[in-house]
Amino acid sequence: MPRVLLTLLAVLTAVSLSAAPAIRQKKLNSRSYCHLYDLLTLNRIRTTQANGKTTAAIGKTRLLFEDKQRRFSYNGRRVELCFPLVSGGGATWMSVLDWQKTLRPLLYPATVPGHRVRTVFLDMGHGGKDPGAIGRFSKEKHLTLAIGWQVAVMLQRYGYKVVMSRRRDVQIPLKQVGVLQNRSKSDLFVSIHINSAANRKLTGIETYCLTPAGAPSSNGGKAESKSYPGNRFDSNNFLLAWHIQQSLLYHTRANDRGVKRARFAVLKDLNAPGVLVEVGFISNSLEERRLNQRVYQDKLARGIVTGIVSYSRTLKRKP
């Protein structure tokens, strides 16, 4: 890690934002915000502002923020925020929650709690009487199981132990998934699903982690203050989702629908970092055909596995 980033990391982890006089803060709608330009320029990170856009360069990394948007771009990849960026007084403001749970883990993974990854729990969505999403000629429950088996085999080749929520076409109650993960004492959790939408033109991959307490989920709804067991791993959840999403996009060249947050039942009660991956839209005819191809399933499995490996290695590289 470059020395300038290590210096910034030391400053921002040693003190709270409120104790760092270089970072301006204010309350908006009873929510704490910090000055985005201050965050990015605190240690001479190259930053420019023009026409409601803030761009920053850190080595080869390029970030683009746009006023009033609930997302930003990281090397061209989409990252969803908990709250929209706010503009006012010629400045752009980011919620403190987004700094703590999104931007800081992404830029400074050394701030994310480290842990060893030996056992991975795989949850293949739906099954048995619950078919999940239904396409023109296939069902979600069959596709998730097929992809899950390939993920399991690849993970084992890397030396990981794998626990699966199901190994055949049976239904596992949603509340039972978290119980099974807890019993397994696994180090990571990955739930595999297939998307569907009324708009049959939609395509692409999106990866979800649990919504932090105090924030609304990416797809709508009000902010919820309740904290779930899975929220203990908010920073790890996001970092895992990021690595898996980027790896999936690299291997499949699919449409990037971003890293998002939701309070899915299978993510609430986990005793380890976890994500839910929507690997494509069964409602789109072209994507449904791809999802049923063994070669494409292999690409999806490889994307998930290399994302897990990348996450694990990133934490191992912590100083």
Side-chain angles (χ1 to χ4, degrees):
M1 185 180 291
R3 181 176 299 174
V4 65
L5 297 189
L6 286 172
T7 304
L8 177 58
L9 174 61
V11 171
L12 295 177
T13 55
V15 297
S16 66
L17 283 171
S18 60
I23 301 175
R24 286 166 283 181
Q25 297 181 78
K26 67 178 179 178
K27 286 276 190 178
L28 296 169
N29 299 321
S30 301
R31 190 175 300 121
S32 297
Y33 282 78
C34 45
H35 197 288
L36 180 62
Y37 188 84
D38 289 348
L39 285 174
L40 296 174
T41 61
L42 182 61
N43 266 42
R44 300 184 300 279
I45 296 175
R46 290 183 290 124
T47 304
T48 59
Q49 290 182 311
N51 302 319
K53 296 182 180 181
T54 301
T55 59
I58 309 173
K60 295 182 179 180
T61 299
R62 298 292 182 271
L63 298 103
L64 173 63
F65 303 86
E66 296 185 61
D67 288 352
K68 301 179 182 180
Q69 295 298 312
R70 196 182 168 184
R71 63 180 183 273
F72 67 94
S73 171
Y74 181 98
N75 287 339
R77 298 300 193 192
R78 174 175 171 172
V79 183
E80 297 283 334
L81 292 166
C82 295
F83 299 99
L85 296 168
V86 176
S87 60
T92 300
W93 301 83
M94 170 180 281
S95 75
V96 171
L97 187 64
D98 273 310
W99 162 248
Q100 295 172 338
K101 307 292 187 178
T102 307
L103 187 56
R104 184 172 64 180
L106 184 59
L107 294 181
Y108 312 113
T111 65
V112 177
H115 67 108
R116 302 185 72 173
V117 180
R118 294 174 176 173
T119 303
V120 179
F121 189 102
L122 295 179
D123 171 48
M124 284 65 70
H126 308 282
K129 295 181 180 179
D130 176 13
I134 300 175
R136 294 181 179 180
F137 59 88
S138 58
K139 298 178 180 179
E140 180 178 5
K141 66 174 185 176
H142 296 139
L143 294 173
T144 58
L145 187 59
I147 296 166
W149 269 113
Q150 292 192 55
V151 172
V153 170
M154 291 182 190
L155 283 172
Q156 288 169 346
R157 289 174 182 166
Y158 274 97
Y160 295 101
K161 179 182 176 182
V162 178
V163 178
M164 303 172 74
S165 62
R166 64 186 180 97
R167 293 172 173 267
R168 53 191 177 89
D169 186 15
V170 295
Q171 183 179 7
I172 307 297
L174 290 177
K175 292 184 178 180
Q176 187 67 16
V177 174
V179 174
L180 293 173
Q181 185 279 319
N182 276 255
R183 288 177 182 170
S184 73
K185 298 183 179 179
S186 55
D187 305 301
L188 288 181
F189 173 92
V190 177
S191 186
I192 303 170
H193 285 257
I194 312 294
N195 231 329
S196 183
N199 182 355
R200 296 184 179 276
K201 293 182 180 180
L202 291 181
T203 64
I205 295 172
E206 55 194 23
T207 303
Y208 288 85
C209 54
L210 183 62
T211 308
S217 294
S218 298
N219 291 339
K222 296 181 179 180
E224 183 178 316
S225 60
K226 182 177 180 179
S227 180
Y228 295 92
N231 286 125
R232 290 176 294 165
F233 312 101
D234 278 341
S235 295
N236 294 83
N237 293 339
F238 175 79
L239 195 62
L240 175 61
W242 169 260
H243 279 280
I244 289 179
Q245 177 74 4
Q246 305 320 303
S247 180
L248 278 165
L249 297 175
Y250 173 80
H251 285 280
T252 65
R253 307 301 179 190
N255 179 39
D256 178 18
R257 291 182 55 83
V259 173
K260 300 181 178 181
R261 292 183 166 96
R263 292 185 174 91
F264 291 133
V266 296
L267 298 178
K268 290 180 178 180
D269 298 320
L270 299 179
N271 195 32
V275 299
L276 185 148
V277 186
E278 297 276 8
V279 297
F281 281 80
I282 201 171
S283 50
N284 179 276
S285 58
L286 177 60
E287 204 145 81
E288 182 183 13
R289 287 197 296 271
R290 287 176 178 166
L291 289 167
N292 279 273
Q293 295 170 355
R294 176 75 183 208
V295 172
Y296 192 72
Q297 290 176 2
D298 180 82
K299 291 179 180 180
L300 290 169
R302 199 168 299 280
I304 292 171
V305 171
T306 54
I308 291 172
V309 173
S310 177
Y311 166 85
S312 179
R313 289 176 177 171
T314 296
L315 294 186
K316 284 183 179 179
R317 287 197 298 268
K318 290 175 59 171

